[in-house]
Amino acid sequence: MYITCLDMEGVLVPEIWIAFAEASGIPELKRTTRDEPDYDKLMRWRLQVLKEHGLGLKEIQETIATIDPLPGAKEFLDRLRETTQVIILSDTFEEFAKPLMKKLGWPTIFCNSLEVAPDGAITGFKMRCPQSKLTTVKSLQSIGYETIASGDSFNDLGMIQASKAGFLFRSTEQIKKDYPQIPAYEEFDDLLAAIQDAMT
């Protein structure tokens, strides 16, 4: 039996931090896991930037409320879920993801959580487990599932390479160049076909 594991940001929805960088006028917050492989380092830096500008969860959630899934993403998910179980594995946070999951028809998501002070300041974050995407894929395999994985960033490479089949989707030219052995797609129809082929 197969489970398909998908990244969220950049694959199904726009990058939350890029949208917030534009909304807040803080261009340095556009840095994502496409640019920084060390997620812990990236998040600690982001929280420092938020603190310097006096911004918290409320302001980010206001931006998230304006974000819609990428064109075709919900239809892709609906079609994929007709043929395989799907879990979204994301390094985002429950406090960010919920409104986006509603717009995607409530797919299953495994993600992390934020530590938020009474005044709304984000004081820290709690990762679900170390190397959460790779760890989850290996755990699914340990209970008898074959995994197929797709994502766009450095933090997706572990789960992609550990799965029976793995695909880059709308990734950077640099990642595609560094990992030429991983098939790369730009359109949902092509990714759906590749996943379905991998299950036959």
Side-chain angles (χ1 to χ4, degrees), residues 184-195:
Y185 299 102
E186 299 296 320
E187 301 298 329
F188 284 117
D189 284 348
D190 295 333
L191 179 59
L192 179 65
I195 294 170

Side-chain angles (χ1 to χ4, degrees), residues 33-49:
T33 50
R34 288 172 165 226
D35 312 298
E36 173 55 68
D38 186 333
Y39 189 74
D40 186 75
K41 178 180 175 183
L42 176 64
M43 271 308 300
R44 292 185 189 284
W45 175 80
R46 285 169 168 167
L47 295 189
Q48 185 59 40
V49 173

Side-chain angles (χ1 to χ4, degrees), residues 2 6 29 33 43 45 51-52 76 86-88 90-91 102 133 136 152 159 192:
Y2 288 92
L6 299 174
L29 284 175
T33 50
M43 271 308 300
W45 175 80
K51 185 177 179 182
E52 289 169 4
F76 161 75
V86 179
I87 298 175
I88 297 171
S90 176
D91 279 337
K102 182 177 182 180
K133 297 184 183 188
T136 302
D152 68 328
M159 72 170 180
L192 179 65

Side-chain angles (χ1 to χ4, degrees), residues 28-168:
E28 59 263 39
L29 284 175
K30 289 185 178 180
R31 189 167 178 79
T32 70
T33 50
R34 288 172 165 226
D35 312 298
E36 173 55 68
D38 186 333
Y39 189 74
D40 186 75
K41 178 180 175 183
L42 176 64
M43 271 308 300
R44 292 185 189 284
W45 175 80
R46 285 169 168 167
L47 295 189
Q48 185 59 40
V49 173
L50 292 177
K51 185 177 179 182
E52 289 169 4
H53 288 83
L55 297 169
L57 180 59
K58 176 176 172 286
E59 289 80 10
I60 298 175
Q61 287 179 328
E62 286 171 354
T63 295
I64 292 169
T66 70
I67 296 174
D68 288 322
L70 293 168
K74 185 178 186 302
E75 293 77 10
F76 161 75
L77 258 186
D78 289 344
R79 290 169 65 196
L80 183 60
R81 290 164 75 189
E82 290 175 6
T83 55
T84 175
Q85 296 295 312
V86 179
I87 298 175
I88 297 171
L89 300 183
S90 176
D91 279 337
T92 194
F93 306 95
E94 295 172 357
E95 296 83 356
F96 292 179
K98 191 172 181 179
L100 296 168
M101 293 304 97
K102 182 177 182 180
K103 291 179 181 181
L104 285 169
W106 298 111
T108 299
I109 182 169
F110 292 177
C111 59
N112 305 304
S113 58
L114 292 170
E115 296 169 357
V116 183
D119 65 358
I122 301 172
T123 56
F125 56 97
K126 184 171 172 40
M127 302 299 282
R128 188 168 50 81
C129 58
Q131 291 185 292
S132 61
K133 297 184 183 188
L134 176 59
T135 301
T136 302
V137 158
K138 287 186 172 179
S139 297
L140 290 167
Q141 292 166 352
S142 77
I143 57 171
Y145 287 97
E146 294 270 22
T147 60
I148 297 170
S150 183
D152 68 328
S153 297
F154 284 108
N155 63 339
D156 299 313
L157 293 170
M159 72 170 180
I160 288 172
Q161 292 174 311
S163 292
K164 182 185 178 187
F167 311 103
L168 291 169

